[in-house]
Amino acid sequence: MTAPTDATHDPALRSWVSSANLPGCDFPLQNLPLGRFRPHGDGGQLAPWRGGIAIGDQVLDLALARQQCPWPDDVQPLLDLLGQGDLAAFLASGRPAWRRLRAALSAALAEGSDQGPFLELCLHPLAAVEMALPLAPRDYTDFYAGIHHAVTVGTLMRPDNPLLPNYKWVPIGYHGRASSVGLGGGVRRPRGQIKSSAEAPPTYAPCRRLDYELELGLWVGVGNALGEPVPMDQAEDHLYGVSLLNDWSARDMQAWEYQPLGPFLAKSFATSVSPWLVSLDALAPFRRPLQRPADDPQPLPYLDSEFNRSLGAIDITLEVWLQTAAMRQAGQPPVRLSQSNALDAYWTPAQLLAHHTSNGCNLAPGDLLGTGTLSGPAAGQGGSLLELSLGGKQAIALPGGQTRTFLEDGDTVILRGYCQAPGAVRIGLGEVAGTVLPAG
Ligand code: MN
């Protein structure tokens, strides 16, 4: 079985937007990620939010493009939805519509396109626009699909029994908080109950073990009716695409509150996502087999499919970068803390979606699923400071003589992701950055 690539993935394609053709660009013509933005005002009234497509260092304004440029009859209604900023309605329209728009935009932005002279007037520099969440997630669920994260964290909490017996059978998750999902920026250090020693009672105080988690966000496109599970062979038809996701975590609050019902206030104070939705269609050249050790249990039939075994996983390199306030003041650039890959997840996006709906639970367009922290097996591949600092026992050295076990006020955490493969043009997810603000 081969990944369903088409003319939009042709590595020879180039755009008349010249910055899209530069090596290392996150947003070449083969990517075409979808976001919601408005141009910076001229000091007057704010423009309405509208859909946009990132191309090179520009954003194609779909509100302008639907008016300024001729389009095929079956594409115009899709651009009408996106031009009005209604990304949920576009996502609900399903994969044939997503692919139709992708093909039309690929042709329109390609070198030699007849639409180029019209669309040149519909571009804004990315640096001159304000991004919004692509759509407000109605619901947010965070999974635990990173097995190396689960083993390392489990070892810290339960040295004798790091991986609980359910892990290789059932995708573990909890219901997160949709209202505090945002694009990053300032993230206020939470206060909560902290129990510092076995003898003393807990206190209500600012978190002292603030952490990030490197994850992918999976964005539901097409929902399912209550009571109607989505089978594995249809699961990807319900997923529009991915973004980066930082599941900010207060480890000291988490350690005290997590039993018996799982994370609560240690997670719900902030979750940050990158603003551009990279479609599963754009990721087609980077699909890979799901790799599992031979002696692990096979997935139960409702979590298994031929496609999932052969191409269910996605090869996305993931990185965490850090810039402290002192580094920023000294003009030092961010430093990379870790690099890992989404291939290290134990469960694929299709399995997470199929499992989520397997009891009849209904998902809706724009619902957000976090994969769980995507760490690699080696030291230096931990997707959280909890892992990199071995539970706070081993400080990480930073440029300029600083060290970290957990995040300090003024620290900026940046997540980045990109895909590379032979015969394909590199595409990127962009980045999400958040800076820790002092507790209020
Ligand atoms: Mn998480």
Side-chain angles (χ1 to χ4, degrees):
M1 193 177 287
T2 55
T5 54
D6 58 30
T8 65
H9 305 97
D10 183 349
L13 277 184
R14 292 170 59 85
S15 176
W16 51 262
V17 181
S18 58
S19 58
N21 305 321
L22 296 174
C25 171
D26 274 351
F27 308 130
L29 184 54
Q30 289 79 359
N31 192 345
L32 302 174
L34 177 63
R36 197 159 60 106
F37 80 100
R38 63 186 174 196
H40 281 315
D42 306 322
Q45 283 195 319
L46 287 173
W49 297 108
R50 75 280 309 270
I53 296 287
I55 179 79
D57 60 6
Q58 306 285 311
V59 52
L60 177 68
D61 185 329
L62 298 179
L64 290 178
R66 68 177 166 145
Q67 296 167 344
Q68 305 288 337
C69 179
W71 294 95
D73 287 347
D74 58 342
V75 172
Q76 187 72 44
L78 304 175
L79 289 171
D80 289 344
L81 295 175
L82 293 169
Q84 293 159 20
D86 193 351
L87 273 60
F90 172 70
L91 263 56
S93 59
R95 173 143 288 117
W98 309 337
R99 287 195 171 149
R100 181 70 190 96
L101 182 72
R102 175 176 168 83
L105 290 170
S106 174
L109 290 165
E111 273 181 352
S113 161
D114 293 342
Q115 292 158 287
F118 300 99
L119 294 179
E120 278 177 10
L121 308 172
C122 306
L123 296 174
H124 309 272
L126 274 169
V129 305
E130 181 184 0
M131 300 301 299
L133 278 173
L135 57 174
R138 190 191 67 156
D139 245 322
Y140 162 49
T141 299
D142 196 27
F143 282 97
Y144 201 51
I147 189 169
H148 304 297
H149 172 78
V151 168
T152 304
V153 172
T155 303
L156 292 169
M157 291 185 173
R158 300 174 299 272
D160 302 333
N161 186 22
L163 204 61
L164 294 170
N166 56 7
Y167 189 87
K168 293 185 176 180
W169 293 97
V170 55
I172 303 297
Y174 66 94
H175 286 104
R177 183 76 193 169
S179 63
S180 47
V181 175
L183 293 180
V187 172
R188 189 161 298 285
R189 179 182 299 274
R191 292 175 182 269
Q193 279 203 26
I194 295 166
K195 194 160 182 344
S196 303
S197 74
E199 298 77 29
T203 58
Y204 175 70
C207 166
R208 281 177 296 200
R209 290 161 71 92
L210 184 61
D211 201 355
Y212 57 81
E213 290 189 342
L214 169 64
E215 308 194 18
L216 283 177
L218 310 173
W219 292 81
V220 173
V222 177
N224 62 298
L226 183 64
E228 295 183 10
V230 176
M232 272 297 286
D233 60 4
Q234 295 172 25
E236 289 207 354
D237 290 339
H238 290 259
L239 275 177
Y240 178 76
V242 309
S243 68
L244 297 159
L245 186 149
N246 182 348
D247 176 22
W248 300 91
S249 299
R251 300 300 182 195
D252 37 10
M253 292 160 57
Q254 185 179 358
W256 173 233
E257 75 172 9
Y258 89 104
Q259 289 180 316
L261 289 185
F264 181 35
L265 301 182
K267 303 280 195 171
S268 62
F269 62 96
T271 303
S272 303
V273 295
S274 53
W276 294 105
L277 303 183
V278 174
S279 67
L280 286 190
D281 291 318
L283 294 165
F286 311 101
R287 305 305 299 261
R288 298 290 177 267
L290 174 59
Q291 305 277 1
R292 290 239 177 126
D295 51 355
D296 274 15
Q298 290 302 304
L300 292 175
Y302 82 98
L303 292 175
D304 193 21
S305 74
E306 171 60 28
F307 176 83
N308 197 61
R309 270 175 261 137
S310 57
L311 290 169
I314 314 177
D315 183 348
I316 306 176
T317 300
L318 298 163
E319 296 178 347
V320 181
W321 296 69
L322 178 73
Q323 187 183 44
T324 68
M327 289 165 65
R328 195 157 46 245
Q329 280 152 20
Q332 288 169 323
V335 63
R336 194 174 72 193
L337 293 184
S338 73
Q339 187 181 64
S340 55
N341 195 296
L343 291 175
D344 284 316
Y346 197 76
W347 303 100
T348 64
Q351 287 173 316
L352 298 181
L353 188 133
H355 181 66
H356 204 311
T357 66
S358 62
N359 65 343
C361 175
N362 50 327
L363 301 178
D367 277 7
L368 176 62
L369 315 182
T371 55
T373 310
L374 295 173
S375 304
Q381 296 180 338
S384 67
L385 285 175
L386 183 68
E387 293 158 88
L388 295 176
S389 73
L390 302 177
K393 292 195 277 289
Q394 183 173 298
I396 298 154
L398 299 174
Q402 288 186 289
T403 62
R404 284 293 179 276
T405 50
F406 292 98
L407 295 171
E408 297 189 7
D409 293 345
D411 286 357
T412 299
V413 178
I414 305 158
L415 309 186
R416 293 177 182 155
Y418 54 91
C419 305
Q420 299 183 115
V425 170
R426 175 199 187 278
I427 66 172
L429 274 58
E431 64 177 45
V432 54
T435 300
V436 179
L437 304 177

